[in-house]
Amino acid sequence: MLHSNITVFMPSVLTLTGIPGLESVQCWIGIPFCAMYLIAMIGNALLLLIIRSEHSLHQPMYIFLAMLGATDIVLATSIMPKMLGVFWFHLPDINFDCCLFQMWVIHTFQCTESGILLAMAFDRYVAICYPLRYATIFTHQLVTQIGASVILRAAILVTPSLVLIKCRFQFYHTTVISYSCCEHMAIVKLAAGNIRVNKIYGLFVAFTVAGFDLTFITLSYIQIFVTVFNLPQKEARLKAFNTCIAHICVFLQFYLLALFTSLTHRFGSHIPSWIHILFSSFYLLVPPFLNPLVYGIKTKQIHINVVKFCCVLYSVCGGLKTDGQQNTS
């Protein structure tokens, strides 16, 4: 981004360019992004509907899964409608305060998702390592407190980033954001001032959340594996391990994508900017897209209830079609 001597005082509107360098094919790039978004919305909504309606799934493991699904819906919806507006309908303008709000939602719910993954790892740790104490430890009150704490932690950590931008910067080099959404550093780099404090705080939040959560998730799964491999019966080992497969898949794809995106931003200066932006967009959308698919395939209770739901839906649609044909005849 080229800086000029001309500055803008407190711009009311910012402009999102989408993916610089790929403007001519952005309409085509929007197709797989839209497909992923629709699958993410349908999959997570179906997950929430099944967990809510099936009483046998009102357990901590599935309640955390419902929290993850709700978080994914909010995260994907905060990004995709505006991104598709830029890609397909040439609507790049966004109100400055709306841009800050989008930034807050994106980073708050990313932190929330990380916290929920930590809670799910702790849930599996207690269930496998201390099965006799599981019911007394994981009460509905504790699950509610963990959910509230995860959201509160994310909001408290991310809100100062928004305040620092709003209060510290009045003049901006440009109003054009060379990005597909309002990400923290993409906004900060527009400012005509010293952005060191904002950069340091952004790194502090990233390392605080990822460092804390990743450390305890790793320790939890190490202890889980030790316990599982010490079980005397092979069937018991397989059953215990199968309960963790979906969690491990979701955990790995979330943090590996985050690590890859972070490394390419900091050490990939020779990589074209469109690759950075494309992978950052995938990082924001892939977890909401993959999570319901992974849990729908790998979690037996979810899989069974999804099949039941689809059978009921098919029967209802078939009945309506038959009634319609009889009325016509």
Side-chain angles (χ1 to χ4, degrees), residues 33-34 36-42 44-45 48 68-85 94 98 101-103 105-106 109-110 113 180-182 281 284-289:
F33 274 86
C34 182
M36 291 171 67
Y37 174 65
L38 291 175
I39 292 171
M41 291 299 99
I42 294 169
N44 284 295
L48 289 171
L68 189 67
T71 299
D72 285 338
I73 288 174
V74 175
L75 185 59
T77 303
S78 70
I79 301 162
M80 282 310 302
K82 184 58 187 176
M83 190 182 294
L84 293 177
I94 182 170
C98 290
F101 180 70
Q102 185 190 54
M103 179 204 81
V105 171
I106 290 171
F109 282 88
Q110 278 183 311
E113 182 150 351
S180 54
C181 63
C182 295
S281 301
L284 293 172
L285 191 58
V286 165
F289 165 70

Side-chain angles (χ1 to χ4, degrees), residues 144-154:
T144 303
Q145 290 172 347
I146 290 175
S149 299
V150 164
I151 296 171
L152 190 62
R153 180 193 70 161

Side-chain angles (χ1 to χ4, degrees), residues 11-16 78 82 86 91-103 175 177 180-182:
S12 59
V13 176
L14 299 176
T15 302
L16 293 166
S78 70
K82 184 58 187 176
V86 176
L91 299 171
D93 292 343
I94 182 170
N95 182 275
F96 183 79
D97 290 332
C98 290
C99 190
L100 289 181
F101 180 70
Q102 185 190 54
M103 179 204 81
T175 59
I177 301 177
S180 54
C181 63
C182 295

Side-chain angles (χ1 to χ4, degrees), residues 50-294:
I50 288 171
I51 293 171
R52 177 180 171 81
S53 60
E54 187 63 39
H55 186 73
S56 63
L57 299 181
H58 294 178
Q59 302 173 25
M61 172 182 170
Y62 300 106
I63 293 172
F64 286 134
L65 181 54
M67 292 180 189
L68 189 67
T71 299
D72 285 338
I73 288 174
V74 175
L75 185 59
T77 303
S78 70
I79 301 162
M80 282 310 302
K82 184 58 187 176
M83 190 182 294
L84 293 177
V86 176
F87 287 176
W88 286 350
F89 305 110
H90 307 291
L91 299 171
D93 292 343
I94 182 170
N95 182 275
F96 183 79
D97 290 332
C98 290
C99 190
L100 289 181
F101 180 70
Q102 185 190 54
M103 179 204 81
W104 183 85
V105 171
I106 290 171
H107 294 296
T108 296
F109 282 88
Q110 278 183 311
C111 292
T112 300
E113 182 150 351
S114 180
I116 294 171
L117 291 177
L118 174 60
M120 294 171 84
F122 180 56
D123 170 78
R124 290 300 87 200
Y125 166 74
V126 175
I128 292 172
C129 299
Y130 302 98
L132 298 179
R133 298 174 58 190
Y134 180 78
T136 57
I137 293 174
F138 267 94
T139 62
H140 285 288
Q141 183 181 4
L142 179 63
V143 172
T144 303
Q145 290 172 347
I146 290 175
S149 299
V150 164
I151 296 171
L152 190 62
R153 180 193 70 161
I156 289 173
L157 284 172
V158 175
T159 299
S161 298
L162 187 150
V163 174
L164 284 171
I165 293 173
K166 192 72 176 175
C167 296
R168 293 189 72 238
F169 304 129
Q170 292 184 323
F171 293 93
Y172 292 79
H173 290 292
T174 179
T175 59
V176 178
I177 301 177
S178 300
Y179 210 74
S180 54
C181 63
C182 295
E183 194 267 341
H184 175 244
M185 283 309 300
I187 300 174
V188 168
K189 288 178 180 178
L190 305 181
N194 187 347
I195 64 173
R196 186 177 179 183
V197 173
N198 299 73
K199 291 173 70 174
I200 291 172
Y201 187 76
L203 287 172
F204 166 75
V205 172
F207 281 114
T208 298
V209 173
F212 181 85
D213 294 355
L214 194 55
T215 298
F216 283 96
I217 289 173
T218 304
L219 291 174
S220 296
Y221 279 111
I222 288 172
Q223 189 60 47
I224 287 170
F225 288 143
V226 170
T227 303
V228 167
F229 289 125
N230 284 333
L231 292 173
Q233 296 179 339
K234 183 179 179 181
E235 292 78 11
R237 290 199 298 268
L238 288 174
K239 184 178 179 180
F241 185 70
N242 282 335
T243 63
C244 297
I245 289 177
H247 300 297
I248 294 169
C249 292
V250 169
F251 156 69
L252 287 175
Q253 61 92 9
F254 180 81
Y255 285 104
L256 287 176
L257 276 171
L259 180 63
F260 181 79
T261 303
S262 178
L263 289 176
T264 54
H265 269 292
R266 282 162 177 77
F267 304 107
S269 56
H270 60 287
I271 299 175
S273 62
W274 65 266
I275 294 180
H276 289 296
I277 296 170
L278 200 57
F279 274 102
S280 294
S281 301
F282 272 116
Y283 165 59
L284 293 172
L285 191 58
V286 165
F289 165 70
L290 283 182
N291 289 351
L293 298 179
V294 170

